[in-house]
Every structure is written in C-alpha cells, then in structure tokens.
Amino acid sequence: MNRRELFKTISATAFVSGFSGIARAQVATPTASPRQVLSLDKGWRFHEGDIPMPLLVTHQETYEAAKAGKGPGAADVKYDDSAWPRVTLPHDFAIAQPFDKNANVDQAYRPRGVAWYRNTLLFTQADHGRHIELQLDGMATFATVWFNGTLVDRNWSGYQSAYIDLTPYAYYDKPNQLAIRVDATAMEGWWYEGAGLYRHAWIVKRDPVHIVTDGVFAHPVKTGDTWTIPVEVTLNNSGDKTAQVTVTSELRDAGGKALATVRAQAACDPLGQGVVNMTLPISFTPDLWSPETPVIYSVATRIEQGGRVLDEVTTPCGFRTTRWDADQGFFLNDRHVKIKGVCLHQDHAGVGTAIPENVIDYRLKRLKTLGCNAIRFSHNAQNTYLMHACDRMGFLVMAENRNFDASPDYIAQLQWLVRRDRNHPSIYLWSVFNEEPMQATEQGYEMVRRMSAAVKALDATRPVTAAMNGGLDAAISVAEAVDVVGINYQQDKYDLFHKAHPDKPMFSSEDTSAFMTRGEYKSDQDKHIMASYDDEAAPWGETQRDAWQAVVERPFVGGQFVWTGLDYHGEPSPFTWPSNSSYFGILDLCGFDKAAAFIHRAQWIDDTPQLGLVPHWNWQAGNKVRVMACTNADEVELFVNGQSAGRQKGDRLRMNYWTLDYAPGFIEARAYKGGKLVAKARNETTGKAVALRLTPDLDALTANGRDAAPVKVEAIDAKGRNVPLAQDRVTFAIEGGTIIGLGNGDPTCLEPEKGSQRSLFNGLAQVIVQAGATAGALTLTASADGLKPASVAIKLNPGCFTAPWRAPGEIADQATA
C-alpha cells in the first residue's frame, strides 16, 4: 500500500516526520500571507547569438575561473550588456526570425540557435533572512543559469520549469546579476518549439519556514458515498533553528467561504524538509466538476508559528470521480462519457510559443464551440495558466510527459510534471510517452514500469497511459505496464486488441491527421492546397469522418483525440517549403473555422441543433460545385436560389453532399428534427470587397502593459458580407497599445508575423494587440488599397497586473536596475 492509499483509510490523522496526532477540524481565521510573488517579466536585456567564453591561458585565469562567483563571458557580473536591447517576457525569439529555406522544416523554417538574457535584481535589507526563489516557467531549449557569477542551474528540457533557491547568493542593497544562456539549437520535438524565455519568470519571497513550490497535494477522494480530501504538505526550513509550526488546510468554495478545516502540529529542522499528512473530512454534498459544470473549489494551506502566518498557498480543487471499463469505456461521476478530444501544441499565429493568457482563453473558447470535452497536450508539459483555464472552462486533460527515459534526470522531469499539476481536477490521465520505437520491447516495458511507478508514488488517484503507434500484437509491450492503453491511429486493430486484451481499457490517443486548407475546395498539389471536403489524410491516418465513426461505433473505445485541434507552426506535411505550418487542424493557426469544424459540431454536439454549409458561393459560371452540409438533425434539405436540390436523411457520421451547377445567388441548407425546422445555414454570392472590418475577441482589457487579445480582420462587400476570396494586403496602426503578432491561417504564407502588415487569406486575418499602461482606449486601424479602412476601440480599464493562478491580488514587479 503506498502512502496515498494509506491516507484514504485513516480519518483526519496527521503524520509529520515521525510526529503523529489527531488533526481535528477547526475553524481557522484567514490571515494575510507574508509570501510575495513578484513578476520578473521586465528588465531583461537580450542578445541573439552566443558570446564566446574567454580562452584561459595563464594559471591565474584558470584558477579564478574555477571559483564560485566567477562566471565566464556574459555570465560575469561585470559584463557590459548596456548595448543589448530590452525585452519583456514571455519572449519567443524564433517567431521573429525571417523564414530560411535551409532551416529545419519541423521548426517552421525559423532559425533558432543560442541567445543570452541578463537582468539586474535589487533586494533590500527587508528581504534579508527570507527565502528567495527564482522561478522560470519555460526556457527553450537547454538553459544554463548564473546568479552573481555562480552557476545555479542547468535545465535540460524546454518544457520544464526551474525553481532556483537564490538565498545563499543574494546581496542586499546592491545589484544582483542574473544571466541565462539559452541553447535552442537542440530540439526535443518534431514541431515548432520556439526559443528563449518564452514563459513567465517570477521571484517568490517567503519566510525561511515555508511550503515548498508545488508542495501541497489536496485532491478529493470518494469512498462509497463519502468524500474526503487527503492533504499532503511539504515544508522547508532554510533557517538555522528547528521550527515548531501549525499547518492548517481549509476547503473553500468559489466565493471564499470556508467549508472544512483541518490542522496539525509539525517540526521542521534547519535546512530540512518535513511532510505533513492530514485529511479534510467533507460533511456536505459537493457540487461535481465536469466539462458541463466545471465547479472549482480551493484548498488554502498555511503554516503558523505563535499566531503569526509564515506562509500560505492556495491550490485548485474539484470533486469528480473517474473510472475506466474495458467494455464500456470512460465514466465521469458514474456517467458514461465519450471522449471528444483534440491534440494540441502550444503555439499560436503571430506570437509563437509566447502566448498571452487571453489568447489561451480564446483558443479554448474556440475548441468549446466544437463540442470538444478533452485535450491531449502534445507532447509535453504546458503553460501553468493553461492548466487552470482547463479547470475553469471544463476540459478533461491528458497530461503528457516529453522525454521517454527512466534515468534519474528524466524521472525527475516526470515527477516535476506530476507535482505541479496533480491538484487540477481537469487532469484525468498521465501519459508517459508518445510513439516510441521501444514500445514493443522488454526494455520499453521496463522503462514504462518504472515511470508509471514514479507517477503513482506521487498520485495514485489517476491512471497512467502511453500513446502507442505499434506493438499492439507483440508478445511483450508497454501495454502491460499501463492502466489504460492509448492507441495512435491503427484503427483497424481496435477489435483485435480488445479481443486479445478483454480486461484492458483503451482509447484513441491520436487519430485522423486529415488535411485541409481553410476556405479552399479544390486540391492543388503544386500550390500546396488541400480541399476542405474531408477526403484526404496522411498515409498513417484517417479522415475526420472515418476516425470518429471507428470510435463511436465501438463502446469499448473510450473516445478520441483528433490530430489536431488547431494548426501549428512547423510539420507542414504533406508538403515542405514554402509550406511552414500544419494542415491537420480542425481550426487554422488563428483559430478560424475550417470545414472540419462543421463536421465535428455535427458529430460531437448532441443537445443543440447544428448545421454547417460549405463551400462559399463565389464561383465561375459553368462550374460544378460539390456542396457539403454538416448536421446532427434528422433530415437536411438544400436550396439553390430558393429551389430545392433535394432532401436527405441527416448523416452526422458521413455528412450530406450534393453536386450542383453553379448559379450566382445563394445556397441554403435547412435542417429538420421530428419534421420541424430547427436550423438554417446560407451562403451567398458576395459583391467585391469594398471595406475592412475589425472584430476584437474582447471589448475591454486592463491597462497594465501585458493584457492582450486577438482581433479578427475581414474584407466585406457593400452589404457587410465577408468576401471569402479576398487576399488584400492590410496595414495596421495602433494607439494605446502594441501589435505583438499577425497571422492569416495560410500554411504557405512567408510574411513576417511581427510588424504592421499582413495579407488576408481567403477573406480573413488576425492581429494580436497588447494594452498599454494608460487607461482609456486602445485603437486599432486597418487600411488596404481600394478598401474603406476600419477602426475599432478596445476599452482599457485601469488596473494592475494580476495572475490569480499564481497569487491573489496585484502582482508587483520585482525591482530591477
């Protein structure tokens, strides 16, 4: 029995480093925590390219270089970086690079290489004696960190955070020099990975006796009809005296009301750690978390000494049960749920991997419109904010490890992922690998066995899986070492695998890989164009329709993850140059609908009528045009200029098709359920483009210099209709903010994603704007030759930078020089 299972059997008992006692539920009085979480996004100097390390020749040079505090080259505290430009994090320096035909195709033909970042931090005497930690959320790809000339960390994955204790090295009332060398020549994946310090950075100041980062695990468990929350708290003492403390955990609802409390006494030795285990008893019937009702509670955990709060941290909490059945698939809260999921990389048009929080929300909102209820994060740990957003917006998450390796360094990466994310109710599966050649070998089996054990030592509440693209019929494979088998493609083997392994739950961890170019309806290989009728897929994959049909017709298949939810930079299969982003997405790189979006709404949404109609109706006389209607209704009828072209039984698996002689005017589809009209969709022949239109995703931002939002750009005719063939080059101007990214969803476009100009692609483009620091309004203006310009104002509300997923209230900036 592991520790987690042991705690399930013991009610309200605390165990702390040899101390044991009864932890009785009491009402705790909330007190402000002295913990400070400060943003370190500002103040950075950036140098693109490497800085040669000095050649050591003399004995004295060699002797001094071997000492702490004697960082070489640009890591030297005295290095002059005054000529380097300033940048603000998150910062992906690859997305600003010009395309290079000779660069790596899967990295979107963007040169990467080595770069340096430097910052000067200021701490005061008020900080003296506190525990000071540097947190770097993501560095692509390998990174070396020096603080005051001492090498304090090496990071070997672009997806792993670094938590670095600066306390031993910090100066007070004098400058502290931070230098980071990032080597993005290394690649961990076959997709666009970005480069540089592409996630947030933080300074966290705490009492010497504190809760370690990611040091609270409080995830509800249901036994019979009873809920409890086993709580595990890891303490650290960087002080020089043993600390006797009280540890309190409190369950709170969304409004902050305390619902249950438990506390225990603990001792923590100098420079030591202690683990406190308690159980929060739940005496009420909690609201359950699900994709439809993502109810979030929180657990506030604090440590006190003599009535003074030393530290406090709040973690998300959601009540839900999950189980897998080998014959019936997946159950959430004892209700059968078919997984309707997508695989997702972390980049977006214009910003690469340095994605603002509102753009993350935009992407998730777009996926919600599809009826999507799950996301597989391919193939690595994701942005922390994204995990909280999945909790809040209601997505089941398959959290995936990047590197398949059971050696200590890589086990540590896996353990970090689990510790960081195990409180999120959205996570329902841990995945230890994707498509590994060793998956059907004894060596692969032994590696997964060890990796699975490492996961379960930290979290025994969720099953472990792996995404297999082979070896399903092997005598030995990793299928024997996981709880649930994920199958990538190989849909012709579902039945054989289920027959051979009748007790092993399974699901489609990746399928489809179908090609589409948004707004195109005739394939042209020479122009790298793929039609949008769902007829073409990669040799290893299936069409959108075939993939879902194979899943939905088999109750034992738990669901699917479509490759992919959105297009992504790099891996432009089936093409190479000049194509530089993928063709696989249900949505394009900007999050705009492809025809696949209509297909999935028809397949995945059950509770509201759905009807999508393609193509546009701007063709040439004499063209024969294939029309596709996508509906979940009983019947669908197509009209051409008011005349019926035929009524068909609705086919939400295969869709409905007609072939027509083109005539200007309109086509209209009408969907019927039970004989009653429930939905209409109409595509009209438009006039020529006469004007531009701008539509922001948000009508207000906070004037904090960080808040950002995407804006849709369209060409419209005299009647205000989108012109689906418009390719106009648009120039943008902005007041009250900054343009931080441009895109249009064209996989072959070689225009810069930074700047002030972008061509429309089939009537659409996207601008990502960032608020300035002055309240009022951000005004974006778009102009193009021969078109009436457009302007939109986004309200800028006064306010400070907040990061509620990190800490409550305002997040101040760490003082820098």
Side-chain angles (χ1 to χ4, degrees):
M1 179 178 292
N2 64 36
R3 180 191 299 143
R4 185 74 174 169
E5 292 168 333
L6 174 65
F7 298 143
K8 297 178 190 176
T9 68
I10 302 174
S11 175
T13 303
F15 294 87
V16 188
S17 302
F19 167 87
S20 65
I22 300 299
R24 307 183 190 283
Q26 302 178 37
V27 176
T29 303
T31 309
S33 170
R35 172 186 292 225
Q36 283 184 284
V37 178
L38 303 170
S39 171
L40 191 57
D41 287 349
K42 294 183 178 180
W44 293 92
R45 297 277 188 176
F46 172 71
H47 176 81
E48 187 177 332
D50 206 357
I51 304 293
M53 297 297 182
L55 180 64
L56 304 178
V57 176
T58 70
H59 166 74
Q60 191 63 27
E61 290 172 339
T62 307
Y63 177 84
E64 290 183 358
K67 301 302 180 180
K70 298 294 183 180
D76 190 329
V77 294
K78 298 178 181 179
Y79 186 87
D80 183 6
D81 60 17
S82 59
W84 295 8
R86 292 190 180 274
V87 297
T88 298
L89 308 187
H91 180 246
D92 174 5
F93 71 81
I95 199 64
Q97 301 296 319
F99 292 97
D100 182 345
K101 187 177 182 179
N102 297 314
N104 184 275
V105 56
D106 289 330
Q107 299 291 341
Y109 296 106
R110 303 299 182 106
R112 300 172 80 220
V114 175
W116 284 80
Y117 294 82
R118 285 171 57 92
N119 209 331
T120 303
L121 282 59
L122 301 176
F123 302 119
T124 69
Q125 283 299 325
D127 298 317
H128 202 180
R130 305 187 76 185
H131 183 92
I132 300 174
E133 184 172 271
L134 168 66
Q135 298 181 357
L136 300 166
D137 283 356
M139 301 161 281
T141 300
F142 299 155
T144 309
V145 184
W146 291 265
F147 186 66
N148 289 332
T150 296
L151 197 158
V152 293
D153 189 68
R154 295 185 191 272
N155 200 59
W156 299 111
S157 174
Y159 303 104
Q160 181 183 10
S161 298
Y163 308 144
I164 305 169
D165 181 7
L166 301 184
T167 314
Y169 318 102
Y171 298 119
Y172 303 93
D173 293 333
K174 61 181 291 188
N176 293 266
Q177 187 61 55
L178 176 62
I180 303 176
R181 181 183 183 271
V182 177
D183 182 356
T185 55
M187 289 177 279
E188 291 183 272
W190 52 96
W191 57 86
Y192 178 82
E193 298 184 278
L197 305 184
Y198 71 97
R199 293 179 182 166
H200 291 294
W202 314 87
I203 291 291
V204 180
K205 301 176 184 178
R206 291 171 283 200
D207 190 271
V209 182
H210 57 272
I211 301 166
V212 304
T213 302
D214 303 330
V216 176
F217 183 26
H219 183 63
V221 173
K222 188 177 184 182
T223 304
D225 294 327
T226 303
W227 286 97
T228 58
I229 304 179
V231 181
E232 180 181 285
V233 184
T234 303
L235 308 178
N236 182 65
N237 182 1
S238 61
D240 56 6
K241 296 180 180 179
T242 298
Q244 301 287 338
V245 297
T246 300
V247 182
T248 303
S249 287
E250 184 176 85
L251 177 68
R252 298 173 182 173
D253 65 15
K257 179 182 177 181
L259 303 173
T261 304
V262 66
R263 62 178 48 174
Q265 305 301 312
C268 197
D269 294 331
L271 298 179
Q273 290 194 345
V275 178
V276 181
N277 290 286
M278 309 178 288
T279 298
L280 271 166
I282 306 302
S283 59
F284 63 96
T285 301
D287 294 326
L288 301 183
W289 184 96
S290 71
E292 297 78 21
T293 58
V295 179
I296 303 295
Y297 294 81
S298 63
V299 174
T301 300
R302 64 181 175 273
I303 53 177
E304 298 169 279
Q305 187 179 61
R308 183 173 69 92
V309 176
L310 303 183
D311 195 16
E312 182 171 355
V313 65
T314 300
T315 52
C317 173
F319 292 83
R320 88 289 183 278
T321 63
T322 66
R323 65 180 172 89
W324 288 84
D325 185 278
D327 293 319
Q328 300 179 65
F330 176 67
F331 289 78
L332 178 68
N333 300 325
D334 291 324
R335 180 175 63 89
H336 182 262
V337 173
K338 203 77 165 179
I339 299 301
K340 302 168 180 177
V342 299
C343 300
L344 201 65
H345 282 313
Q346 65 177 345
D347 62 300
H348 190 83
V351 293
T353 57
I355 305 184
E357 283 72 36
N358 285 339
V359 177
I360 290 174
D361 284 349
Y362 164 80
R363 287 160 63 88
L364 295 184
K365 287 186 293 185
R366 297 297 301 136
L367 292 175
K368 272 289 184 181
T369 71
L370 306 176
C372 175
N373 64 12
I375 302 174
R376 175 194 179 202
F377 287 124
S378 314
H379 303 285
N380 50 265
Q382 297 286 319
N383 183 307
T384 305
Y385 176 83
L386 179 53
M387 307 311 299
H388 287 267
C390 288
D391 291 343
R392 172 172 45 86
M393 298 179 72
F395 288 94
L396 291 159
V397 169
M398 176 176 165
E400 191 156 87
N401 175 58
R402 171 73 294 268
N403 292 298
F404 182 47
D405 196 324
S407 63
D409 284 350
Y410 291 100
I411 288 289
Q413 290 182 16
L414 176 61
Q415 291 169 327
W416 163 81
L417 169 65
V418 176
R419 284 194 188 97
R420 190 195 71 167
D421 291 341
R422 58 187 173 173
N423 288 305
H424 292 290
S426 54
I427 293 181
Y428 80 119
L429 278 174
W430 297 113
S431 173
V432 295
F433 78 61
N434 172 70
E435 297 182 355
E436 289 292 338
M438 296 173 69
Q439 60 200 344
T441 66
E442 180 183 358
Q443 293 74 22
Y445 165 78
E446 289 294 342
M447 289 166 66
V448 169
R449 194 166 68 89
R450 286 159 174 76
M451 295 173 79
S452 179
V455 171
K456 293 190 175 185
L458 296 170
D459 177 18
T461 70
R462 297 172 175 92
V464 172
T465 188
M468 299 178 64
N469 68 333
L472 295 178
D473 53 358
I476 186 170
S477 77
V478 300
E480 308 302 324
V482 296
D483 305 303
V484 181
V485 173
I487 298 178
N488 284 14
Y489 309 101
Q490 307 174 91
Q491 294 194 310
D492 59 332
K493 295 185 178 179
Y494 286 172
D495 296 328
L496 292 174
F497 182 83
H498 181 57
K499 184 177 180 180
H501 303 271
D503 297 325
K504 181 71 73 171
M506 57 160 288
F507 69 105
S508 174
S509 45
E510 184 175 321
D511 58 41
T512 310
S513 282
F515 303 128
M516 283 189 188
T517 305
R518 176 182 56 77
E520 297 288 350
Y521 301 94
K522 293 182 179 179
S523 291
D524 187 329
Q525 299 287 320
D526 292 337
K527 294 182 178 179
H528 294 199
I529 292 172
M530 304 301 287
S532 296
Y533 293 108
D534 193 37
D535 293 326
E536 297 171 283
W540 61 85
E542 310 86 19
T543 66
Q544 310 280 351
R545 294 165 299 155
D546 289 342
W548 176 244
Q549 187 168 359
V551 169
V552 76
E553 291 181 344
R554 291 170 171 81
F556 60 86
V557 180
Q560 74 170 155
F561 286 97
V562 175
W563 190 264
T564 52
L566 280 83
D567 279 333
Y568 51 96
H569 294 89
E571 199 181 9
S573 180
F575 305 114
T576 54
W577 182 270
S579 294
N580 57 82
S581 68
S582 76
Y583 289 76
F584 297 123
I586 299 171
L587 308 172
D588 74 7
L589 193 60
C590 298
F592 298 141
D593 283 352
K594 297 185 188 181
F598 299 133
I599 292 172
H600 281 284
R601 290 183 185 116
Q603 293 175 334
W604 285 353
I605 297 177
D606 300 319
D607 55 353
T608 57
Q610 297 296 314
L611 179 60
L613 182 65
V614 296
H616 59 75
W617 208 238
N618 285 24
W619 299 92
Q620 299 294 321
N623 285 158
K624 282 195 174 294
V625 182
R626 188 183 182 197
V627 175
M628 178 174 69
C630 308
T631 185
N632 59 2
D634 299 336
E635 295 180 292
V636 60
E637 187 171 10
L638 183 68
F639 292 84
V640 182
N641 296 329
Q643 300 297 312
S644 176
R647 186 161 171 160
Q648 301 178 11
K649 180 180 179 181
D651 191 342
R652 67 186 304 194
L653 291 179
R654 309 305 307 173
M655 306 304 121
N656 295 88
Y657 297 89
W658 296 260
T659 300
L660 307 173
D661 292 319
Y662 173 70
F666 69 89
I667 53 174
E668 182 177 275
R670 300 175 186 174
Y672 303 88
K673 189 174 183 66
K676 295 182 179 180
L677 180 67
V678 293
K680 290 183 180 181
R682 181 180 175 112
N683 294 344
E684 300 179 352
T685 305
T686 70
K688 67 175 185 178
V690 299
L692 296 170
R693 180 165 61 205
L694 299 174
T695 307
D697 182 57
L698 299 171
D699 57 12
L701 297 171
T702 301
N704 57 20
R706 290 175 166 92
D707 228 3
V711 179
K712 182 168 70 173
V713 187
E714 299 176 87
I716 57 174
D717 70 2
K719 294 183 178 181
R721 299 172 296 192
N722 175 271
V723 179
L725 301 180
Q727 314 289 334
D728 302 83
R729 188 169 179 83
V730 183
T731 299
F732 303 97
I734 192 168
E735 296 179 358
T738 307
I739 294 171
I740 61 171
L742 304 161
N744 61 15
D746 178 3
T748 68
C749 187
L750 297 175
E751 296 174 9
E753 295 187 57
K754 304 293 184 181
S756 60
Q757 290 188 320
R758 190 71 171 186
S759 296
L760 300 175
F761 175 62
N762 290 337
L764 298 174
Q766 186 176 78
V767 183
I768 299 176
V769 298
Q770 189 167 58
T774 303
L778 178 156
T779 302
L780 179 69
T781 301
S783 60
D785 290 345
L787 303 182
K788 181 181 177 181
S791 183
V792 67
I794 299 175
K795 185 178 180 182
L796 297 182
N797 294 318
C800 302
F801 175 54
T802 60
W805 68 98
R806 291 303 312 260
E810 176 186 348
I811 301 288
D813 290 312
Q814 164 63 37
T816 59

